[in-house]
Amino acid sequence: MKSFLFISILFSEIIYSQGDSALMFRNFIMEDGIYLNYSDFRHNQIIRKNDILSKENPDQLEFIKKILETEEFSVKISGTVSKIKPKSVWAYVQNNALHLNYREQFFRVTIFGTICFFPALVKVQSPAIYNPQYGFNSGSIITTETRELIMNFYDGDIFTFDFDRVKNLICRDKFLCEDLNKLKRRIQNEQIYRFIHKFNEAHQAYYLK
């Protein structure tokens, strides 16, 4: 199993407007809050802590996480109160880190940029197995495995880490692609995370206005 690279790439200190989008640079402090869907995330339309109706202290470090551990919570936006199921939330930001909803669980993005990376613990169900000793099929087995996941910033697609698929994302940059292809396949596998970082550095993410 590949070793995980737990390095967060932070947002920009300032945001410059450009056409119909806003460019994000490193060191920008993200505001704590909730994104109901991918479109809200792309447009940075976040539900802020002050919009959440709760008896919990919104200034505590894990306020958002605690809210999302409840069965249901309410928000008040523009005078309208709405009830939300945590499982329907697309993502949230807490302590300057993005957490994505994958299979109704939230996982912290450890590499943020146009190519996002995060490890996740997922439940895997193995098929029933015939047991000759007892003459019947034993029940299926559910185990927990660690998966490496990728999220493409520009379409919100989340998929299990696949070297060739990630390489295709990196090869949108001609020069990085050439550098990567100069390496032997084994070295490419070892260096792929570094190239994700390099791609994110060269191609900053944009929010839509």
Side-chain angles (χ1 to χ4, degrees), residues 14-135:
I14 54 176
I15 297 179
Y16 287 117
S17 296
Q18 182 175 341
D20 60 353
S21 59
L23 176 63
M24 298 180 296
F25 290 86
R26 295 185 305 278
N27 302 323
F28 174 71
I29 303 300
M30 292 183 287
E31 184 176 5
D32 284 4
I34 292 169
Y35 294 109
L36 293 181
N37 50 57
Y38 171 71
S39 178
D40 286 349
F41 170 71
R42 284 292 280 120
H43 291 84
N44 197 26
Q45 296 175 343
I46 196 167
I47 295 177
R48 295 172 173 80
K49 293 192 296 183
N50 291 338
D51 296 325
I52 300 172
L53 304 178
S54 172
K55 295 180 180 179
E56 297 282 348
N57 180 5
D59 293 327
Q60 59 184 303
L61 292 177
E62 294 193 338
F63 172 73
I64 301 294
K65 181 176 183 291
K66 289 183 177 180
I67 292 299
L68 294 176
E69 289 174 346
T70 62
E71 291 294 323
E72 186 178 70
F73 64 96
S74 298
V75 299
K76 186 175 183 179
I77 302 175
S78 300
T80 301
V81 176
S82 302
K83 293 185 177 181
I84 299 172
K85 297 286 187 181
K87 292 181 179 180
S88 68
V89 170
W90 189 80
Y92 73 92
V93 174
Q94 182 172 269
N95 303 326
N96 203 38
L98 179 69
H99 298 73
L100 290 174
N101 185 342
Y102 182 72
R103 296 185 180 180
E104 299 184 349
Q105 294 186 76
F106 292 95
F107 300 98
R108 182 175 178 268
V109 172
T110 54
I111 298 178
F112 179 87
T114 49
I115 301 175
C116 293
F117 168 89
F118 63 103
L121 294 174
V122 298
K123 292 182 178 179
V124 179
Q125 183 171 341
S126 303
I129 301 174
Y130 177 74
N131 190 325
Q133 181 177 355
Y134 299 101

Side-chain angles (χ1 to χ4, degrees), residues 115-159:
I115 301 175
C116 293
F117 168 89
F118 63 103
L121 294 174
V122 298
K123 292 182 178 179
V124 179
Q125 183 171 341
S126 303
I129 301 174
Y130 177 74
N131 190 325
Q133 181 177 355
Y134 299 101
F136 60 84
N137 291 337
S138 59
S140 59
I141 300 174
I142 297 178
T143 58
T144 300
E145 298 179 359
T146 301
R147 296 283 178 84
E148 295 176 303
L149 300 171
I150 294 291
M151 193 271 281
N152 185 358
F153 184 92
Y154 289 115
D155 61 16
D157 184 28
I158 297 176
F159 59 90

